[in-house]
Amino acid sequence: MNVPDILGKLWADAGLPAEALGCAHLAGTDPVFPSSFAVGAAAQSTIAAAALAACELGHLRGAPRQEVVVDMTHAAVECTGWFSVDDVSPDPWDAFSGLYRCADGYVRVHANFAHHRDGALALLGLDPSTAQRADAEQALRDWRALDFEQAAAKRGLVVAALRSFDEWDATPQAQAVAGQPLFTIERIGDGAASDATPPMALPPLREGQRPLGGVRVLDLTRVLAGPVGGKALAAYGAQVMLVNSPTLPNISAIADTSRGKLSVHADLRTDAGRAALERVIGGAHVFVQGYRSGGLAALGFGAADLADRRPGIVCVSLSAYGTQGPWAGRRGFDSLLQTAMGFNHAEGEAAGDGMPRPMPMQILDEATGYLIAFGAAAALWRQQREGGSWHVQVSLAQTAQWLRSLGRVAGGLSAPRPELAPFLETSESGFGLLRAVRHSAQLSRTPAVWRMPSMPPGSHPVRWI
């Protein structure tokens, strides 16, 4: 399937007008990175969908349509998430993260957060204060891969056993994911027809304003897809408020993904934190959340709660494995889904050496992030036409299933990695001098830019500006 067809399918599934597709211009073909999967097409189509949907909402608000140009190589480079601060590009992985050989296969351990790392080491009978990676490697030789995956899941840890596609397809979770669409956009929260929520008032667009100007987005996400989605919405002009807990750790990528955002602290376990969030919800148009299933609903901030408080709001929910199946509540990260769902095994087979290997970027996270931005803009477009409150749902597993459906790229692993330098820009930030990839969607009339510098969590007060 070529990229215009992929974009057209995304567009139709979101219920957006076909005539807008003529404004999309897509250059390049896979492979653009060494992979047997269509990672370039996935990057380009989701970024184009997000940008075009933002522009279509701008058109509905009175602005002329504009051209959207996305180069595949630039899009794929953007999806590497590469950045440096003060000329240092941080290692994205903890020393204990990675693939380990077991008694009968492999597992991948995600240890970027200390509590996940220490929990996995404790499960292995190791002292987290003194253990070395070699100790973990030795201890895992006594475990069967599926047994360790299951034992880790019971403790709320993040581990995945390596599977082939056939092995994944035989699992109940694979069958649940296969029955779900790539994303859902549904109207929620309306009572009787006579009480249906009318379109929410959006401020008029000023001449030269970006298409999401005046749209306010609450970004309650952490790693990595959700922050990417919020960053894209900020590039198209939305005022995005990243809400972090002062008690939770973050990864280094926050320096890149916070571009264009307000960055605030609110501890939702406290009365003061919940009250602060309540205040800004009253002025929000979009609420994006990526916490574990039911986590925010238990605090009174689920999609149905938000529709009651702020009729007309668009809620976007991100999960790892989707909303159905035995793994629906399981934690997960891109690298783990690549392992569990067969991609690492398939890349190894394509390489000819059979050694499992990851895809060249965290494309499940990145593509899902742009689907978040796409779904938010599409749901806002529908809200403006139809009224109602709306709920968009995406997951890494559904994105993975979709990527697999795009087919394989013959000889893709022999492609050279492109140079990053032509796609980089430099800006001051609260983290230091930030060098990162500029946005790959080029808007002909109102360029996509990040006007606010990336700032550490808690840099701004919890209020709209």
Side-chain angles (χ1 to χ4, degrees):
M1 185 181 294
N2 62 39
V3 178
D5 289 342
I6 297 168
L7 175 59
K9 179 69 163 59
L10 296 175
W11 200 253
D13 288 348
L16 296 171
E19 56 268 24
L21 288 168
C23 294
H25 304 280
L26 308 170
T29 57
D30 274 307
V32 292
F33 269 82
S35 178
S36 67
F37 292 94
V39 296
Q44 184 183 39
S45 60
T46 53
I47 291 172
L52 195 64
C55 291
E56 191 59 17
L57 178 61
H59 177 58
L60 186 65
R61 298 169 67 193
R65 285 194 172 110
Q66 56 181 313
E67 307 301 303
V68 174
V69 178
V70 183
D71 172 75
M72 184 181 289
T73 300
H74 190 171
V77 167
E78 186 170 14
C79 286
T80 67
W82 187 93
F83 72 97
S84 67
V85 175
D86 295 332
D87 296 323
V88 176
S89 182
D91 186 341
W93 301 108
D94 180 87
F96 283 96
S97 290
L99 202 67
Y100 290 81
R101 186 181 290 276
C102 293
D104 63 343
Y106 293 88
V107 294
R108 186 174 296 279
V109 177
H110 195 285
N112 283 15
F113 289 123
H115 63 292
H116 290 154
R117 179 191 65 223
D118 293 351
L121 292 172
L123 179 58
L124 292 171
L126 301 174
D127 182 348
S129 66
T130 59
Q132 302 295 313
R133 184 178 174 107
D135 300 324
E137 290 172 347
Q138 182 61 42
L140 274 163
R141 293 293 186 121
D142 295 329
W143 281 82
R144 294 174 63 85
L146 293 178
D147 290 343
F148 189 70
E149 177 189 74
Q150 183 62 22
K154 287 181 177 178
R155 296 191 181 199
L157 305 173
V158 277
V159 171
L162 179 78
R163 293 173 176 82
S164 68
F165 281 144
D166 286 345
E167 289 168 336
W168 168 255
D169 290 344
T171 68
Q173 188 58 35
Q175 292 155 26
V177 171
Q180 299 176 60
L182 173 57
F183 59 86
T184 58
I185 302 176
E186 61 177 345
R187 185 170 174 157
I188 61 169
D190 286 330
S194 61
D195 299 324
T197 303
M200 182 184 287
L202 292 176
L205 280 177
R206 301 187 303 274
E207 179 68 26
Q209 195 173 16
R210 287 170 292 165
L212 297 186
V215 173
R216 289 173 170 173
V217 178
L218 284 167
D219 180 356
L220 278 79
T221 67
R222 300 179 64 233
V223 187
L224 176 64
V228 167
K231 185 180 73 168
L233 294 170
Y236 310 140
Q239 185 176 161
V240 179
M241 181 183 292
L242 175 63
V243 182
N244 261 289
S245 168
T247 66
L248 293 177
N250 282 287
I251 61 172
S252 59
I254 195 170
D256 168 46
T257 59
S258 293
R259 283 186 282 172
K261 302 178 185 180
L262 298 168
S263 190
V264 310
H265 271 154
D267 187 347
L268 301 186
R269 298 175 305 175
T270 68
D271 291 341
R274 290 190 295 273
L277 184 60
E278 289 275 11
R279 288 193 296 272
V280 289
I281 285 171
H285 305 100
V286 177
F287 185 103
V288 185
Q289 71 88 16
Y291 287 87
R292 62 179 177 81
S293 178
L296 287 184
L299 297 172
F301 298 106
D305 304 309
L306 294 167
D308 286 340
R309 284 191 189 87
R310 176 69 164 153
I313 198 167
V314 168
C315 300
V316 185
S317 296
L318 164 69
S319 63
Y321 289 100
T323 60
Q324 301 173 29
W327 289 16
R330 186 172 290 195
R331 294 172 172 86
F333 296 95
D334 181 304
S335 59
L336 299 182
L337 274 82
Q338 287 193 34
T339 301
M341 295 183 66
F343 290 90
N344 290 173
H345 181 272
E347 287 279 61
E349 281 193 327
D353 58 13
M355 288 300 298
R357 62 172 62 197
M359 289 185 281
M361 73 276 288
Q362 303 224 56
I363 190 60
L364 308 183
D365 266 329
E366 295 282 344
T368 303
Y370 291 107
L371 289 172
I372 286 171
F374 171 57
L380 276 173
W381 185 90
R382 293 178 65 172
Q383 203 282 336
Q384 291 296 288
R385 287 174 56 92
E386 304 171 35
S389 303
W390 293 80
H391 191 196
V392 179
Q393 296 189 78
V394 298
S395 78
L396 301 184
Q398 288 158 269
T399 299
Q401 186 77 9
W402 168 76
L403 173 62
R404 186 176 162 188
S405 77
L406 301 183
R408 305 294 288 276
V409 180
L413 282 166
S414 63
R417 293 182 69 92
E419 292 292 327
L420 303 184
F423 307 106
L424 301 179
E425 62 184 10
T426 301
S427 62
E428 295 291 341
S429 82
F431 299 90
L433 187 65
L434 177 66
R435 196 168 187 228
V437 184
R438 68 181 183 274
H439 191 44
S440 56
Q442 299 180 36
L443 279 55
S444 60
R445 197 181 66 258
T446 59
V449 294
W450 292 289
R451 296 244 168 98
M452 295 186 65
S454 174
M455 297 296 291
S459 293
H460 302 102
V462 189
R463 65 170 181 263
W464 299 111
I465 59 174

